[in-house]
Amino acid sequence: MSARRDRRPLLWLGVSACLVVSLTPYVWFVATSLKSPVEITSVPPRFWPSGTLSAYRSAIVHHGLARYVANSVLVAGATTVIALLVASPAGYALARLSMFGRRLVLGACLAAAMFPQVAIAGPVWRILRALGLLNTLPGLVLPHVSLTLPLAIWLLASFFRDLPADLEEAAMIDGCSRAGALRRVVLPLAAPGMFTAAILVFIHSWNEFFFALLVLSDPAKQTLPVGIALFPGQYTMPWGEIAAASLLATLPLIALVLSLQRRIVHGLVAGAIKG
């Protein structure tokens, strides 16, 4: 007991140091969004801002931030729905059906989720051009689905595998088909895992930059990461507007994760402890 008490100050000191190192850039980032251009470029730098909201007003009114938010919501929402519709039956089949090379398929899904985006940029661009989907939001949804689908399949397959098979077998004995048992029994029980997969897919699509820059050339169709990157002019660097827009783009994700933290953690660790 005494040894544990002696370690507590060191533990709190380590946690506090990690928090300071991690949060200081974000605190400065928030302060920058509340400064005027003169305060941002002042020498020596000033930490305490005057509290002006001119950067937020400029980001929304002059840089069209609302349009970028709407595009990101459409792309991330469509990506999440399509990925779950495909990943749910695929993950269930890999978890329940006896098939040759099942582990190899799951390993390939995990490897595909880690594949560098730049390696497939050329083929993706040529395919979208052949389909006539370049510079369209549906054309961006397709590569986003291809990037997030392997991770969603791997996550849902792991979750389905931990669910008791007796329930769906009982449903099939009562007359349900395999698809009916999946829809009526398995999917309601797998809601935490599907919810977790949906959140991860949505966040990945919301923050994706490379393919949004590759596929979309019209500024009116850009998503948030690329739209904010286009804020700088030829001779100016609007740090205040960039900070304000980035903060507004991050706040929805922070609020979403914090409000649904318990469900996300439950979905990630479900089945890890048995008995």
Side-chain angles (χ1 to χ4, degrees):
M1 292 294 293
S2 60
R4 291 182 180 179
R5 291 177 180 176
D6 294 338
R7 292 176 182 176
R8 285 183 180 178
L10 295 177
L11 177 61
W12 284 109
L13 181 61
V15 171
S16 301
C18 290
L19 287 176
V20 169
V21 173
S22 301
L23 296 180
T24 297
Y26 295 98
V27 173
W28 185 272
F29 185 76
V30 174
T32 301
S33 69
L34 298 173
K35 293 180 181 179
S36 65
V38 175
E39 292 175 308
I40 295 174
T41 57
S42 64
V43 180
R46 295 173 53 186
F47 175 78
W48 295 108
S50 60
T52 178
L53 298 178
S54 59
Y56 291 90
R57 184 166 50 253
S58 178
I60 296 173
V61 176
H62 300 297
H63 293 280
L65 184 65
R67 180 174 64 248
Y68 300 141
V69 171
N71 293 338
S72 289
V73 169
L74 289 174
V75 172
T79 300
T80 303
V81 172
I82 296 173
L84 286 185
L85 288 176
V86 178
S88 298
Y92 176 77
L94 290 172
R96 285 288 189 261
L97 303 182
S98 298
M99 61 180 67
F100 176 76
R102 180 174 58 181
R103 293 185 178 180
L104 182 61
V105 173
L106 287 174
C109 287
L110 187 59
M114 302 178 182
F115 209 71
Q117 298 180 8
V118 67
I120 60 174
V124 168
W125 189 87
R126 292 175 65 89
I127 291 172
L128 293 178
R129 185 182 64 175
L131 296 175
L133 293 176
L134 282 179
N135 199 29
T136 63
L137 294 182
L140 181 58
V141 171
L142 289 180
H144 280 196
V145 171
S146 67
L147 290 174
T148 56
L149 189 58
L151 179 61
I153 292 175
W154 183 81
L155 181 63
L156 290 178
S158 301
F159 195 88
F160 287 139
R161 188 169 54 247
D162 293 329
L163 293 177
D166 297 342
L167 296 176
E168 58 202 86
E169 291 175 358
M172 287 188 286
I173 291 175
D174 289 340
C176 278
S177 62
R178 175 74 70 172
L182 172 64
R183 184 178 67 256
R184 297 176 182 178
V185 178
V186 178
L187 290 183
L189 293 175
M194 296 183 64
F195 189 83
T196 302
I199 292 296
L200 295 178
V201 169
F202 186 89
I203 292 176
H204 185 280
S205 179
W206 183 273
N207 292 328
E208 200 280 326
F209 178 86
F210 180 78
F211 280 109
L213 181 63
L214 178 71
V215 174
L216 302 175
S217 57
D218 186 357
K221 298 178 181 179
Q222 292 290 1
T223 55
L224 266 172
V226 179
I228 295 175
L230 296 178
F231 276 16
Q234 185 175 2
Y235 302 106
T236 59
M237 181 63 71
W239 291 114
E241 286 84 348
I242 292 175
S246 300
L247 182 62
L248 291 176
T250 307
L251 284 178
L253 296 182
I254 295 176
L256 184 65
V257 172
L258 290 179
S259 60
L260 304 174
Q261 182 179 6
R262 291 186 178 180
R263 293 189 178 183
I264 296 173
V265 174
H266 176 66
L268 289 174
V269 303
I273 301 175
K274 296 185 178 181

